[in-house]
Amino acid sequence: MNGVENVLEVSGLTKVYGGLTAANNVDLAIPEGQVRALIGPNGAGKTTLVGLITGRVTPSAGTVRFLGREVGDMPAFKRISMGMGYTFQITSIFAKLSLHENVALAVRRRGGTTAQVDGEVRAALGEVGLGDRIEQLAGDLSYGHQRLLEIAMGLAQKPKLLILDEPTQGLSSGEVTAFKALIRGLAGQTTVLLIEHNMDVVMAIADHITVLNFGEVLAEGSPEEIRANGAVQSAYLGGE
Ligand code: ATP
């Protein structure tokens, strides 16, 4: 795959729940290496769209192409094995295992010798700033550190697309600063789709922003363009 191609291409994606259209004819294309933020007021359809992309939600209409391949009929686990990595709003770590063991579980899915796994575990934990806590039990970490551990587990899978669903929720301001630096450090190497409510984080780290409102793409553009967009401003003022 060359740098011009899109890692993810979503076209006409629609999800209808009874009488409610949670995603309405959504088009989205994320080029390789981009940090894309997906924002929108509560209930705009962000989680639904991520579910459609990852395969946890079945579309009513539309297509999802990942790495140039149509994946609409593919179950979630196959999309993961193709390189779609994600972390959820709810933490999914193993509390009784050490940080090292948690990340090793993610690394081992790709195979490798014990020494290689160990090296990659340490690298991933170092990247998120948990390099000095490798042998601690995950359950003993603060909530914010547990979220960072999850991101390390996502990164350890070396995903072609890393989807982060509200990663800064519950983080302290210091942890948010570290998170911003982490994602900026990934830009250009890892393609990221970030669902985020914290506008300060979005404006600081996104290359490009897609705004959803009532299931539809309301606007798309650079952080500056989105900040200046009147329709986006009124969607947020109306919604909050
Ligand atoms: P938030 O920012 O609050 O997490 P969101 O932008 O992620 O919201 P969604 O959770 O995707 O929005 O919800 C979009 C709309 O679809 C909402 O009106 C929600 O009630 C509805 N919805 C989501 N999942 C279902 C479901 N399984 N069945 C029925 N309606 C649903």
Side-chain angles (χ1 to χ4, degrees):
M1 204 176 117
N2 63 47
V4 185
E5 280 183 77
N6 293 316
V7 168
L8 182 76
E9 273 180 25
V10 158
S11 178
L13 208 52
T14 299
K15 179 65 186 183
V16 179
Y17 289 115
L20 182 119
T21 306
N24 193 358
N25 206 17
V26 174
D27 293 340
L28 187 74
I30 308 182
E32 195 172 3
Q34 187 180 82
V35 176
R36 171 71 61 96
L38 181 64
I39 67 171
N42 288 334
K46 303 178 296 292
T47 303
T48 300
L49 184 58
V50 168
L52 291 163
I53 292 168
T54 57
R56 285 180 295 140
V57 175
T58 313
S60 306
T63 56
V64 179
R65 286 178 78 78
F66 179 49
L67 306 175
R69 196 166 153 195
E70 170 65 44
V71 298
D73 293 330
M74 216 182 254
F77 77 89
K78 283 207 175 147
R79 300 186 204 195
I80 292 171
S81 64
M82 274 183 77
M84 210 183 260
Y86 43 89
T87 66
F88 300 109
Q89 283 170 316
I90 299 157
T91 53
S92 54
I93 57 160
F94 298 97
K96 298 216 166 106
L97 298 183
S98 69
L99 274 61
H100 190 287
E101 286 167 299
N102 268 278
V103 180
L105 287 171
V107 172
R108 280 195 209 103
R109 286 189 205 150
R110 290 184 294 106
T113 64
T114 306
Q116 278 166 347
V117 169
D118 181 62
E120 291 188 23
V121 167
R122 284 169 195 280
L125 284 169
E127 239 175 322
V128 302
L130 293 174
D132 55 349
R133 295 171 183 267
I134 285 176
E135 298 309 330
Q136 272 187 25
L137 292 186
D140 291 341
L141 293 178
S142 69
Y143 178 77
H145 283 151
Q146 290 184 1
R147 302 302 312 255
L148 293 173
L149 171 59
E150 265 198 315
I151 295 170
M153 291 163 73
L155 284 174
Q157 294 172 49
K158 302 233 186 295
K160 298 283 192 298
L161 173 68
L162 180 63
I163 302 174
L164 301 171
D165 196 351
E166 302 198 12
T168 67
Q169 208 174 42
L171 296 196
S172 69
S173 66
E175 288 164 346
V176 169
T177 303
F179 171 80
K180 288 196 277 193
L182 165 67
I183 300 300
R184 279 324 305 166
L186 297 176
Q189 314 155 40
T190 306
T191 312
V192 178
L193 175 61
L194 170 76
I195 294 86
E196 179 60 64
H197 273 122
N198 183 332
M199 278 302 168
D200 167 53
V201 171
V202 169
M203 293 299 168
I205 70 179
D207 296 312
H208 208 75
I209 300 174
T210 298
V211 188
L212 280 187
N213 196 27
F214 297 115
E216 293 181 20
V217 176
L218 175 70
E220 201 182 288
S222 67
E224 296 72 32
E225 287 164 342
I226 295 302
R227 205 195 303 267
N229 186 306
V232 175
Q233 288 164 4
S234 35
Y236 272 91
L237 291 174
E240 281 168 16

